[in-house]
Amino acid sequence: MSEISIIGAYNTEFGAFVVENETSGLMTDTKTYYDLLIEAGRGAIVDSGLEAKDIDAIYVGSSSPSLFVNQEHVAPIAAEIDPVLRFKPMTRCESACASSSVALYNAIYAVEAGRARRVLVIGVEKMNLLPTPQMTHVLACCSHWPSEGSKGWSFPMLFAAYAKAYQAHYMIPPEEFEKMLYTVAALGYKNGAENPLAHMKDGPSSVEAIMKLNEPDARGKRHNMMIAEPLRMHDCSLVSDGAAALVITRTAHVSNKHRAVEIAGIGHSVERLPENVRPNMHELMAGKDAAAKAYKEANITSDDIDLAEVHDCFTINQILSTEALGLSTDGRGGYDYLDGRFTRDDKVAVNLSGGLKAKGHPVGATGASMHTLIYKQLIGEAIGVKAKKADIGVAFNVGGSAVTNCVTVLRKL
């Protein structure tokens, strides 16, 4: 058990905070990287009931700020949250889409080591200033460049490889597999419609509505076009701008237990970077290892979990993540979604926030956001859909093509 607790958290609105000039194509930034980072950091400190002077150190998770917004060395931007933070230690962590979960884990280590008493963790990313081809290139830099990115492999293609392997291994008929993926997407959109901070609140929230988008409209355009077979547009998460932040301290130092949540266990497991060297592609092997570590540290089993936020960067990864957490048996995840499981009314609710599909996916902020939203559920201040029961929640954040795997068990004090 980590003996560390979250005592405050904040999530900015997620979205595309840019305006494009129709003539020139130039983008105007309406909420900058700096704005997002500062808003989240200030919000979390206020939410914790502390003042900025009480923070001993700051960890910032961000995936690719130099390529997205021409800014490296981003941790010192946190000094602009409040002048009293000047001279505090500030560190940036990078692990692709798991950057801010890794930042949180490093913050935990600092508190456990006794080097800091209260630490602020911020996750942030600004992705929408770049046109799609450049944005795709930046994300591809998080793959194994010699064997993947340099060969033209995008992230939809990397996760499509998982989808094909999963479908083949479990011999799932194509039409049934499509319905599994659409069911996952529809669930995300349905939940996201009630999240006031979500990037997309009006996505197609039924399988039928998504299937209808596969058909060409009057002008011959398909609104759910194939991106990387078998993954279509509505199998893919959003390109978002946003930030989230948390404040942690030792559980023994918590002054208000009603607004504190224990970090009961963490599991951090890293897969080999190239996909072509992995033993198989039909399961998240490192994800399973991370879950086992986190459950052992928290002394729980998957049966104890009330809700989970999982990394649905693509619909197939939500199915794989559900199995990796032990919420479904191997090969049954898609069928469980078809059977109507993991909704707000089920024993275990998955992605009540809308997930990366609807809430949005500002890559460096995603891990901090997952932890923030579970924290808010467990203290009874849910953002959006409220969990039926919220004593134990799990965040499963993935970086790269299922390479960095961070599983955190959060428990109500």
Side-chain angles (χ1 to χ4, degrees):
M1 192 177 298
S2 74
E3 300 182 351
I4 306 295
S5 288
I6 300 170
I7 57 172
Y10 184 90
N11 207 110
T12 72
E13 185 179 1
F14 285 1
F17 303 125
V18 294
V19 174
E20 184 176 4
N21 184 298
E22 292 184 6
T23 305
S24 67
L26 292 175
M27 295 286 193
T28 299
D29 195 350
T30 58
K31 187 179 272 191
T32 69
Y33 183 94
Y34 310 86
D35 295 335
L36 291 163
L37 187 155
I38 292 167
E39 179 188 338
R42 279 183 185 154
I45 293 171
V46 170
D47 194 60
S48 70
L50 300 176
E51 297 180 31
K53 65 180 177 55
D54 301 319
I55 300 297
D56 298 319
I58 300 171
Y59 287 81
V60 176
S62 198
S63 178
S64 305
S66 63
L67 295 174
F68 281 130
V69 297
N70 302 309
Q71 179 68 64
E72 280 289 11
H73 203 187
V74 297
I77 299 168
E80 307 309 315
I81 292 170
D82 190 295
V84 302
L85 293 173
R86 187 181 177 214
F87 303 146
K88 305 273 186 180
M90 300 178 190
T91 307
R92 176 201 166 188
C93 298
E94 186 279 307
S95 290
C97 305
S99 293
S100 51
S101 285
V102 172
L104 172 63
Y105 291 180
N106 279 276
I108 291 170
Y109 305 148
V111 177
E112 287 179 333
R115 288 280 179 178
R117 184 181 173 100
R118 304 181 188 96
V119 178
L120 173 65
V121 180
I122 306 170
V124 58
E125 208 75 62
K126 175 87 191 184
M127 304 173 71
N128 280 285
L129 286 171
L130 298 182
T132 299
Q134 288 180 39
M135 182 276 299
T136 303
H137 168 78
V138 173
L139 293 175
C141 292
C142 295
S143 70
H144 182 252
W145 188 255
S147 66
E148 295 168 352
S150 70
K151 307 295 184 188
W153 280 68
S154 64
F155 267 86
M157 294 167 72
L158 292 166
F159 277 92
Y162 268 104
K164 290 173 184 171
Y166 183 89
Q167 182 187 356
H169 183 76
Y170 294 110
M171 296 183 286
I172 304 171
E175 287 188 2
E176 195 159 37
F177 188 55
E178 271 194 341
K179 281 189 179 176
M180 290 176 180
L181 301 181
Y182 298 158
T183 301
V184 169
L187 177 61
Y189 288 134
K190 186 173 183 180
N191 289 337
E194 298 178 45
N195 181 348
L197 304 178
H199 186 161
M200 180 179 277
K201 303 182 183 70
D202 59 354
S205 57
S206 71
V207 171
E208 295 73 22
I210 293 174
M211 291 180 73
K212 194 171 182 181
L213 297 174
N214 297 346
E215 301 167 5
D217 64 14
R219 292 188 293 179
K221 182 178 179 182
R222 297 177 194 272
H223 294 272
N224 192 25
M225 69 284 283
M226 191 66 75
I227 302 297
E229 193 174 2
L231 302 179
R232 293 177 177 272
M233 190 178 75
H234 284 284
D235 292 304
C236 307
S237 56
L238 299 166
V239 175
S240 307
D241 310 325
L246 311 110
V247 178
I248 65 168
T249 190
R250 279 193 176 275
T251 303
H253 297 156
V254 169
S255 58
N256 182 358
K257 291 191 175 181
H258 297 296
R259 297 200 79 255
V261 164
E262 174 189 52
I263 300 172
I266 61 173
H268 182 184
S269 299
V270 178
E271 177 60 274
R272 296 176 71 184
L273 189 57
E275 284 192 347
N276 62 15
V277 298
R278 299 177 197 172
N280 77 59
M281 290 288 291
H282 62 262
E283 60 179 332
L284 303 183
M285 300 177 76
K288 289 180 175 178
D289 186 68
K293 289 173 179 170
Y295 294 174
K296 182 178 181 182
E297 188 168 289
N299 193 27
I300 68 159
T301 71
S302 58
D303 290 338
D304 298 312
I305 297 168
D306 300 316
L307 70 158
E309 287 288 326
V310 307
H311 199 94
D312 60 321
C313 51
F314 299 93
T315 47
I316 181 60
N317 206 52
Q318 181 159 333
I319 294 172
L320 291 167
S321 297
T322 304
E323 294 181 5
L325 291 178
L327 304 178
S328 289
T329 55
D330 288 353
R332 292 298 307 172
Y335 292 106
D336 284 345
Y337 279 100
L338 283 178
D339 289 343
R341 290 205 56 204
F342 309 121
T343 66
R344 66 189 72 186
D345 299 317
D346 195 19
K347 178 183 176 297
V348 186
V350 174
N351 286 358
L352 289 175
S353 68
L356 283 55
K357 280 287 305 129
K359 178 190 69 176
H361 186 25
V363 288
T366 288
S369 175
M370 288 174 157
H371 289 83
T372 292
L373 293 163
I374 294 282
Y375 163 78
K376 291 290 186 180
Q377 290 277 2
L378 267 56
I379 64 169
E381 299 177 8
I383 298 171
V385 180
K386 189 177 189 302
K388 194 166 63 173
K389 183 171 179 280
D391 292 331
I392 295 179
V394 169
F396 181 13
N397 182 204
V398 167
S401 60
V403 175
T404 297
N405 295 264
C406 297
V407 177
T408 309
V409 178
L410 300 176
R411 180 158 46 204
K412 185 188 287 186
L413 279 181

